[in-house]
Amino acid sequence: MHLPRQLGPLHDLPDTPEAYDAVLADVTEQALARLTPEGNLERPDCVDDIGDTSLGLTSLLVLALHRTKDPRLPEAVHRSLAFHLNERVYAEDNPGYPNLRIRNSGFPYARYVLEAGAHPIGDWPSTVWALLQAVNILDAPDGLVEADQRTQLLDVARGYWRWLTEATFFNPQEAGNQAIGCVVGGLMLARHLPPQEGESVRGRAIGLYTEKIRAHRVRDRGALLPPEHGGAYDNNYGPISLSFLAQAHRVSGEEIFAEDGDGLARYIDARLTGGGFDSGGPRYSEQHSGFESVLGLRYFSRRIGSDLGRYRGDTRWGRHAAGPDGGVDGHFAWMLVWQIQDPTRWHRTPSTEPARHQLRAGTVSVAFDDRMTPSVVEADGTYYLPAAVNRQHGFGPVLDGFVFCRPMGEVRVRDVRTDGLAAKLVTKPVVGRDHVLRHVRSLYVTDGTSLWTTVALERLRGEPYLLAGLPYAADDGDRVRRTAEGAVASAGTLRLTHPQAQGAEHFDARAELTQEQAAFALAADPRGYGNPDEGWRHLVSSTALEAGPVPGAPDDLHVFAVRYGSAAPLTVSVERDGEALRIGTSAFTAVIGADDERGEPQLTLRAVSS
């Protein structure tokens, strides 16, 4: 089976003006065929996320009219805009909406579901989206929209802003992407208002960003991130937030948006595998966005000098939102408008700067979590997640069901690049169940094709093994397929184990089940509202690679050595060299030296000549 949403890298989609003209031409034909006598452009089967969709298609038709002067479009724009103004602008409170600060304000808003009282919780983001569709139309050159309709639309957009910022609590779902989107709507609206009013709205938008979003950022992996549905980052919504930061910087010129976007972009770059696979978030653990992410990934790939476009998006939504039949949907149409308007092109080469939470070279990458334990290992096109044993998750030595990977003190990191090799040494103090402090030293070395992992710690009593990951997925052309195996070798014994117990708490990689599905099965709340990462933390056991100790290691140490990316036999030598530890393989020799005067680990690396 294939993962349903992690498809091709987003930068593989052509983004030339000619390519976008072809996209607009297709949208135009679909819209003209769908347009009802009343001017409705919604998908006939659309039920939710509907309040902005017809207006979104109108905005795309306005852009197409500007670029092509198609004589069929003025009438379609007029009719469809009239439909939204007459039929999709609501001013009476939606029954059951829980987030009002002012009742019966009379301000217009958009509905998530058209039926009164049906799922009103989504009205806040739907109104943000409708505001963004509106300001894109207001941005059109004079003459493309009739003057009286433009005046009406400006008045509605002003009302949307007031409903979002006065009549309701701001950002009631604690969703960073929605909140930053609202700020962008205010910044764009301000340019169409009289100077004094416009400056007030602009100031209010920037104030909301600094006070309600930026001041409440959450730290993860050394970065401060806009909180997303209660978590630090979501691999669907996080890149969408990046797109909003890009647009906020484009329309305002305020450096705060560029600086925060740079930070979020570097974070995404570090957590993302070289192949573009990612997993994790408080709403959709594996549900990647598509065209909604392109603007931010492209804009900031150029700013930080890295290939963020390797991100595997849902290319079924590679150009615009689509229904189950693939037909165009106007939802989020403003992102396509902004993509077409923004002249930035992709930066397609990786950054050469070492990153604390990433090791990457060639087709090998390791993304590290906040504790500097691998969160994803990639080699030979296969992706390995942290395995679970006895309710503990990670990569690391295991004794009697205890995983030695959670630090009790400062984690030190040393990066070295030389002779075509890239290495990262991670040292962390870990306390076991016996209350003894042990120093776990994990060395990761790659030549761009394979990854060698060597882990050493003070000798344990009993028969420990190295928890070496859960083989989970593998590249398969433009798709990612589920897998339960990978090309791995160990200098000691190696076994692939599967859970003996049954139930949602035990993840067997051989089953046709995605990590996302398993995580939501364990989450406290319904899918789409629960936190899959929180659910996944309840996992008791999983499929796991288990590697035995390296034979012939120093008597006072347990050492484990695994190579990902090749199943060929692996031989590793480990010996003392004074206070240092010398590790030898057929590809390299590494020396882990004594800590320096600041307690920092020392590492030297030399390739073995062929």
Side-chain angles (χ1 to χ4, degrees):
M1 62 175 290
H2 289 97
L3 301 185
R5 300 181 184 89
Q6 299 209 26
L7 306 177
L10 289 174
H11 65 196
D12 285 354
L13 292 168
D15 64 345
T16 62
E18 293 77 16
Y20 280 128
D21 282 339
V23 172
L24 280 178
D26 176 55
V27 168
T28 296
E29 296 306 322
Q30 289 194 54
L32 291 176
R34 179 183 299 169
L35 186 66
T36 68
E38 298 79 21
N40 189 350
L41 287 170
E42 295 160 359
R43 281 191 299 109
D45 59 344
C46 186
V47 174
D48 54 19
D49 265 329
I50 192 173
D52 70 303
T53 60
S54 184
L55 190 63
L57 279 174
T58 302
S59 75
L60 291 174
L61 294 182
V62 171
L63 181 61
L65 176 59
H66 174 57
R67 291 168 73 92
T68 67
K69 308 299 187 289
D70 187 327
R72 300 173 297 171
L73 292 180
E75 176 63 18
V77 167
H78 175 80
R79 286 168 52 194
S80 62
L81 185 50
F83 171 80
H84 180 83
L85 293 171
N86 296 331
E87 303 293 337
R88 292 296 180 259
V89 178
Y90 297 85
E92 294 182 357
D93 294 352
N94 199 351
Y97 185 72
N99 299 314
L100 291 176
R101 299 174 64 225
I102 303 173
R103 295 192 62 190
N104 302 314
S105 68
F107 296 144
Y109 66 93
R111 286 187 176 174
Y112 176 76
V113 174
L114 299 181
E115 181 185 350
H119 204 81
I121 194 70
D123 289 356
W124 202 88
S126 288
T127 303
V128 174
W129 310 154
L131 171 61
L132 293 171
Q133 314 285 23
V135 292
N136 273 341
I137 294 173
L138 293 172
D139 277 353
D142 290 343
L144 296 186
V145 177
E146 292 183 5
D148 60 336
Q149 283 190 320
R150 189 184 185 284
T151 299
Q152 292 181 59
L153 184 62
L154 178 58
D155 190 53
V156 168
R158 182 191 280 113
Y160 285 157
W161 173 254
R162 294 194 66 185
W163 187 85
L164 291 163
T165 60
E166 298 176 31
T168 70
F169 289 96
F170 183 78
N171 191 21
Q173 295 185 23
E174 296 183 0
N177 76 97
Q178 298 173 9
I180 305 171
C182 182
V183 167
V184 170
L187 293 171
M188 296 181 70
L189 173 65
R191 302 184 301 182
H192 298 285
L193 300 173
Q196 186 173 356
E197 183 185 2
E199 192 55 40
S200 174
V201 169
R202 176 187 168 92
R204 174 71 168 146
I206 295 174
L208 286 169
Y209 180 74
T210 57
E211 298 163 18
K212 297 290 189 178
I213 303 171
R214 195 170 197 264
H216 298 278
R217 289 178 299 171
V218 180
R219 185 175 295 277
D220 185 47
R221 308 186 197 191
L224 286 170
L225 310 171
E228 193 55 68
H229 289 283
Y233 177 82
D234 185 278
N235 69 354
N236 179 28
Y237 293 126
I240 298 175
S241 285
L242 192 66
S243 287
F244 283 130
L245 288 169
Q247 182 67 0
H249 185 241
R250 290 183 67 234
V251 300
S252 74
E254 293 287 339
E255 280 304 303
I256 191 172
F257 299 118
E259 293 169 5
D260 291 355
D262 288 349
L264 177 55
R266 291 192 179 97
Y267 171 87
I268 293 173
D269 190 36
R271 71 172 287 144
L272 197 61
T273 61
F277 173 86
D278 190 17
S279 176
R283 277 294 290 274
Y284 296 111
S285 191
E286 290 181 313
Q287 185 175 119
H288 280 40
S289 49
F291 76 101
E292 315 101 294
S293 303
V294 167
L295 176 70
L297 294 170
R298 192 174 68 191
Y299 191 82
F300 286 101
S301 74
R302 182 64 54 182
R303 282 188 58 91
I304 71 168
S306 193
D307 56 336
L308 295 178
R310 69 186 188 276
Y311 178 98
R312 283 186 177 271
D314 190 339
T315 50
R316 295 171 303 183
W317 278 36
R319 300 301 195 180
H320 48 68
D325 62 354
V328 65
D329 186 308
H331 188 48
F332 273 40
W334 22 267
M335 284 294 192
L336 178 56
V337 173
W338 300 343
Q339 282 179 45
I340 294 173
Q341 293 171 338
D342 178 46
T344 309
R345 299 278 72 86
W346 291 107
H347 181 95
R348 296 180 178 276
T349 56
S351 171
T352 57
E353 294 296 319
R356 178 180 174 89
H357 294 278
Q358 177 194 62
L359 175 67
R360 181 183 173 203
T363 58
V364 171
S365 61
V366 185
F368 295 87
D369 64 17
D370 233 10
R371 296 167 170 176
M372 287 307 297
T373 297
S375 59
V376 187
V377 169
E378 173 195 18
D380 191 38
T382 299
Y383 304 100
Y384 304 84
L385 302 180
V389 57
N390 196 29
R391 298 185 185 276
Q392 299 166 80
H393 302 189
F395 289 76
V398 179
L399 179 65
D400 297 332
F402 183 85
V403 185
F404 291 80
C405 69
R406 291 172 299 281
M408 181 64 71
E410 191 66 24
V411 179
R412 313 291 185 111
V413 177
R414 177 62 61 107
D415 282 280
V416 172
R417 288 180 179 262
T418 184
D419 293 343
L421 300 171
K424 187 183 294 286
L425 174 63
V426 177
T427 64
K428 61 175 77 172
V430 177
V431 175
R433 286 206 176 101
D434 57 5
H435 291 234
V436 173
L437 182 69
R438 291 177 173 85
H439 292 82
V440 179
R441 290 173 286 181
S442 302
L443 175 64
Y444 306 87
V445 181
T446 179
D447 61 359
T449 301
S450 297
L451 172 72
W452 289 262
T453 300
T454 307
V455 180
L457 78 165
E458 290 85 353
R459 195 163 192 86
L460 300 163
R461 295 180 180 179
E463 298 182 2
Y465 64 89
L466 180 72
L467 192 63
L470 156 66
Y472 176 69
D475 292 340
D476 186 11
D478 287 339
R479 303 293 302 273
V480 178
R481 61 177 171 80
R482 283 278 288 103
T483 189
E485 58 187 12
V488 182
S490 170
T493 59
L494 182 66
R495 56 186 178 268
L496 180 65
T497 64
H498 303 285
Q500 297 299 308
Q502 302 294 312
E505 299 86 359
H506 307 280
F507 186 82
D508 191 326
R510 297 170 298 182
E512 290 196 355
L513 187 70
T514 67
Q515 187 267 352
E516 179 184 2
Q517 291 169 326
F520 270 116
L522 294 170
D525 296 304
R527 189 186 187 285
Y529 303 94
N531 184 337
D533 277 4
E534 187 177 83
W536 186 252
R537 283 193 286 272
H538 294 302
L539 198 69
V540 175
S541 65
S542 74
T543 293
L545 287 161
E546 301 176 357
V550 174
D555 292 341
D556 61 335
L557 295 177
H558 265 123
V559 182
F560 308 89
V562 170
R563 184 187 59 223
Y564 302 87
S566 171
L570 173 64
T571 301
V572 176
S573 63
V574 183
E575 58 187 31
R576 293 284 190 191
D577 186 359
E579 293 187 50
L581 191 65
R582 182 181 297 273
I583 299 167
T585 74
S586 61
F588 64 87
T589 298
V591 177
I592 301 175
D595 294 348
D596 65 14
E597 65 277 5
R598 294 176 293 116
E600 297 294 331
Q602 300 299 296
L603 175 64
T604 58
L605 185 67
R606 179 176 57 83
V608 174
S609 57
S610 56

